[in-house]
Amino acid sequence: MARNTVRPVVTLRSTAGTGVTYVTRKNRLNDPDRLVLRKYDPVAGEHVAFREKR
């Protein structure tokens, strides 16, 4: 089964510098820039911004 190039798998890395990552998919047509989501960082113990890593 071929992977869809419109919805690639991206890695989100914590901006708090703890090294925590999330893995998700994004729609490249709707979000051509780097994805930034606010998610929970268990090491920091709070919600922080997670930025797409390339």
Side-chain angles (χ1 to χ4, degrees), residues 13-49:
R13 173 155 296 160
S14 174
T15 58
T18 58
V20 176
T21 59
Y22 280 95
V23 177
T24 187
R25 290 181 177 269
K26 78 167 190 175
N27 189 328
R28 192 175 282 164
L29 299 178
N30 294 341
D31 298 314
D33 300 327
R34 287 191 181 182
L35 190 62
V36 178
L37 295 177
R38 194 165 153 80
K39 302 197 53 88
Y40 184 75
D41 187 338
V43 177
E46 60 185 2
H47 284 81
V48 296

Side-chain angles (χ1 to χ4, degrees), residues 2-9 25-29:
R3 291 284 182 188
N4 192 346
T5 58
V6 176
R7 293 190 62 85
V9 174
R25 290 181 177 269
K26 78 167 190 175
N27 189 328
R28 192 175 282 164
L29 299 178

